[in-house]
Amino acid sequence: SSASSSFEKKAMQKGLELVYIKGDGFEHAIFRKNIPTNKKILHVYLGGDGTPWFQGRYATLDPTPLRPVMLDLMKMDQSPAIYLGRPCYHQKKMSKNCNKSLWTHQRYSVAIVQSMVLALEGYMQQQGYREARLFGFSGGGTLAMLMAARLASVETVITLAGNLDIDAWTAHHNYLPLSGSLNPATEPPLPVDIKQIHIAGGQDKSVPSFMIKKNSKRQKKAQYILINHANHHCCWGEVWPSLLERFL
């Protein structure tokens, strides 16, 4: 089965509902929890880059994540929450607007960010939410920072193993630059009224903790947290409920 159908199956097993909403030229998958509530704050989970490349050379046909890290964390969250998919991810049939650059070099481009912002704004307006808390894992942390700068409704940003400087990240791994992508490290710091917590794994070799620590210092009043035993994919579920309780 495709990565998209595998992800959807895992989401259904967790009792989530799949809906689609239009962004800016793209359709976005939203996996949501049906929690009856009068709350006006929405928790928004943003997944990692998934599988942009096969064997490091060939762009994949379906970049949807194979490991649903953020679905697992969202299942633990007792607040109203959605998992917001990126353009061209979680699609049963690829849109004609999708091309492989949108999940490879341009994965954090203006087109991607604008579409995600429009999709989230549309969903919040439709459902009556006034504020959002953005939670981003890995490349989802990159998008959380870029989206927060363009959304008036964002109250909190929490990143887990977040790629907060894509130029330093590509240089560290000797990857080709992500030409056409926005870099949070070269954007102005987020407004001080947005709470920021950037969490790193001490054993993370994909996005090393020193990169996260350095870039969290760029932000005004951002908090940096190191989880010594965590690597890139493990073991965020062990600490997520306590982190939500502690900061929110």
Side-chain angles (χ1 to χ4, degrees):
S1 64
S2 69
S4 292
S5 61
S6 176
F7 192 99
E8 182 179 344
K9 182 179 179 181
K10 291 171 183 175
M12 298 303 105
Q13 290 171 345
K14 296 179 187 299
L16 304 178
E17 178 187 11
L18 172 60
V19 296
Y20 289 89
I21 192 162
K22 290 190 180 297
D24 187 4
F26 300 96
E27 197 168 57
H28 295 257
I30 287 179
F31 297 91
R32 65 184 180 184
K33 298 168 67 173
N34 289 316
I35 302 178
T37 180
N38 295 319
K39 293 181 180 178
K40 298 300 180 183
I41 299 179
L42 179 66
H43 289 186
V44 182
Y45 286 74
L46 304 169
D49 296 339
T51 313
W53 300 99
F54 173 67
Q55 295 182 342
R57 295 181 59 191
Y58 309 103
T60 54
L61 298 177
D62 183 353
T64 301
L66 297 173
R67 298 184 183 183
V69 173
M70 292 306 263
L71 283 189
D72 294 337
L73 301 189
M74 190 171 86
K75 182 68 175 176
M76 303 175 184
D77 194 339
Q78 299 304 307
S79 296
I82 64 168
Y83 178 104
L84 175 61
R86 305 187 196 188
C88 311
Y89 285 54
H90 312 286
Q91 303 297 309
K92 291 180 172 65
K93 183 180 179 182
M94 279 289 184
S95 161
K96 63 182 180 180
N97 292 337
C98 290
N99 64 76
K100 295 172 184 176
S101 66
L102 294 175
W103 57 86
T104 54
H105 301 299
Q106 297 177 29
R107 65 187 78 171
Y108 315 123
S109 64
V110 171
I112 296 291
V113 176
Q114 283 183 345
S115 191
M116 295 192 74
V117 164
L118 192 65
L120 180 54
E121 286 178 332
Y123 183 82
M124 290 180 65
Q125 184 175 11
Q126 182 187 99
Q127 300 296 322
Y129 291 105
R130 294 176 184 167
E131 291 184 308
R133 292 168 174 159
L134 304 183
F135 307 145
F137 165 70
S138 191
T142 315
L143 289 171
M145 296 295 288
L146 296 170
M147 290 172 65
R150 294 159 174 81
L151 280 162
S153 57
V154 173
E155 180 234 41
T156 300
V157 173
I158 299 180
T159 68
L160 298 161
N163 188 354
L164 307 182
D165 186 343
I166 65 171
D167 295 337
W169 180 75
T170 53
H172 175 78
H173 290 289
N174 200 27
Y175 296 155
L176 291 173
L178 298 182
S179 53
S181 285
L182 299 170
N183 185 1
T186 58
E187 298 254 314
L190 295 183
V192 291
D193 58 342
I194 297 179
K195 182 189 296 184
Q196 294 185 62
I197 300 102
H198 302 292
I199 307 167
Q203 310 303 313
D204 193 343
K205 292 181 171 56
S206 180
V207 185
S209 58
F210 71 85
M211 289 187 182
I212 298 172
K213 184 176 183 179
K214 177 182 177 181
N215 285 284
S216 66
K217 288 182 177 179
R218 289 187 62 252
Q219 301 292 327
K220 300 171 183 177
K221 296 186 179 179
Q223 297 183 62
Y224 167 77
I225 297 174
L226 178 66
I227 308 297
N228 284 307
H229 69 282
N231 62 33
H232 196 61
H233 287 95
C234 174
C235 303
W236 303 112
E238 296 176 5
V239 298
W240 188 239
S242 61
L243 288 171
L244 286 177
E245 185 176 350
R246 175 180 170 188
F247 291 112
L248 305 180

